[in-house]
Amino acid sequence: MILSNDFSRRAFGAMLLGSTAAACAPQVPLSEPEADLPAREEWVEGYEPLFDSGYNLPGIPSRYLEGVNRRMTGVYQGEAPPNSIDVDPYAKFLYHVKSDGTATRYPVGVGRAGTSIRGRATMQFKRKWPGWTPTQNMLRTQPEVYGDFRAGIPGGLRSPLGARALYLFRNGRDTYYRIHGTNDLRSIGNSGSAGCIRLFNQDIIHLYNQIEAPMPVLIRSPAESLRVDPENYNRGIELPPTMIPAEELLGPEAEANDRPPVFDELSPGMI
C-alpha cells in the first residue's frame, strides 16, 4: 500500500471503505459434517478465524467491520510522539505511532462516561492469553456484579481480557487499566466497558506483535480529540452494563466447550 504525505483524516476513512469489500479471504475448512456447516462467510482480510497458542479464535463477521471499524495504516495526524500508543476514547480509535510518521489505527471499545483513564501512562508489560481478576474497587462498589469472580477467571477463550493484554502504569504504579482483546464484538466502536480499552482479538494480537514494552501511552482528552479528529468525535453509542453469568464463564461446561462466551445484542461484558 503506497502512502502519501497528505493522507488526511478523511482519506484515512475513504481508503478504509474502499478496501473493506475487496480484501476478503475464504473461510477456513471446518471439520463438522457438511450438513451442520453454517452459511459460508467471506472473511475480511486480517479478521479470519485464527489458531493462536492452542486456541481457536472465531473470525470477525464483516458486519462488525463496516466503515472505519477495522484496522488500517496511514500517515499519522495526531500529537503523540513516535514509538508510542495514542488512544482516542471519543473517536474510538487506538493508534500505534511509528518512527516513520505513519500509524496503524485500530477501532476500540472504551469505558462508559466517567470510568476511563485519561492523560499519559506507560505500557509497562504485555501478556498472551492473560487471566483476569476484579479489582478491590470493583468488588467494593459492585459486589453483585463481580463477587462471583473474586477468585478470577483463568486465561483462555473465556477470559474478559481476550487473547492479549497490555498493562498500563503511571509513575511506576499499576493503574489497573488494560488495553486488551474482547469477544464482545458489538462493543468495538462504542462505550460500555468499566474503563479498559478493548480491541478485536485479531487486532490486539496484531498490535502485540508490533510493539515492545515499555512504551508511552497517551489517552486523549476531549479537547485533544476535537482538535485532532473532529470528524469522528463521539462516534458510537453508550451500551448498558450487563453481565455474562458466572456459570457460563466458570462452570464445568465452559472448559468442556472450549469456546468464547456468547454475547447477546445488549451485553458489553464486565471490564
Side-chain angles (χ1 to χ4, degrees):
M1 180 181 296
I2 298 174
L3 303 173
S4 66
N5 289 330
D6 58 352
F7 198 38
S8 68
R9 290 186 300 270
R10 190 172 298 278
F12 210 123
M15 179 172 277
L16 172 62
L17 286 166
S19 64
T20 299
C24 293
Q27 184 180 16
V28 296
L30 299 175
S31 58
E32 290 87 346
E34 185 173 348
D36 296 329
L37 289 176
R40 183 179 178 86
E41 173 77 55
E42 292 295 327
W43 302 108
V44 174
E45 184 177 5
Y47 295 97
E48 306 94 341
L50 177 65
F51 182 76
D52 178 82
S53 301
Y55 296 101
N56 286 301
L57 277 168
I60 309 297
S62 58
R63 66 182 179 275
Y64 296 108
L65 302 167
E66 295 178 351
V68 296
N69 222 42
R70 60 160 293 190
R71 174 174 80 238
M72 72 169 301
T73 296
V75 173
Y76 178 62
Q77 302 284 330
E79 301 173 348
N83 300 312
S84 69
I85 291 172
D86 180 9
V87 181
D88 188 333
Y90 302 94
K92 314 299 189 302
F93 294 123
L94 179 150
Y95 299 82
H96 171 211
V97 186
K98 303 172 186 177
S99 58
D100 63 357
T102 67
T104 299
R105 188 180 73 185
Y106 305 85
V108 300
V110 299
R112 298 181 297 277
T115 62
S116 293
I117 188 174
R118 296 289 182 268
R120 298 186 182 276
T122 299
M123 187 274 288
Q124 196 67 37
F125 62 91
K126 57 182 188 172
R127 292 285 183 269
K128 291 185 177 182
W129 291 102
W132 170 81
T133 303
T135 66
Q136 290 303 308
N137 184 60
M138 288 176 169
L139 293 169
R140 184 181 66 254
T141 58
Q142 293 182 283
E144 73 286 357
V145 174
Y146 298 108
D148 289 342
F149 303 97
R150 184 179 301 274
I153 298 174
L157 290 170
R158 299 194 160 242
S159 170
L161 292 183
R164 303 286 190 277
L166 315 179
Y167 295 75
L168 303 188
F169 282 61
R170 183 175 282 165
N171 299 321
R173 301 183 64 178
D174 192 352
T175 65
Y176 297 102
Y177 287 95
R178 314 290 184 236
I179 298 170
H180 65 87
T182 185
N183 296 315
D184 184 8
L185 307 183
R186 186 173 181 256
S187 70
I188 303 301
N190 296 305
S191 304
S193 76
C196 290
I197 301 156
R198 303 169 169 182
L199 289 78
F200 293 122
N201 277 316
Q202 279 81 348
D203 279 345
I204 193 65
I205 291 172
H206 184 275
L207 174 62
Y208 182 101
N209 291 338
Q210 306 300 311
I211 62 176
E212 296 295 336
M215 176 171 279
V217 178
L218 170 67
I219 298 95
R220 294 181 189 175
S221 68
E224 289 168 326
S225 179
L226 276 169
R227 187 164 62 241
V228 176
D229 194 2
E231 298 168 23
N232 290 302
Y233 184 76
N234 271 352
R235 82 177 179 103
I237 60 174
E238 185 158 315
L239 299 169
T242 54
M243 273 284 299
I244 294 277
E247 58 269 20
E248 186 175 343
L249 291 173
L250 300 174
E253 71 280 2
E255 292 186 9
N257 291 336
D258 192 31
R259 60 178 177 80
V262 176
F263 287 83
D264 61 34
E265 285 299 295
L266 295 177
S267 181
M270 294 183 294
I271 66 170

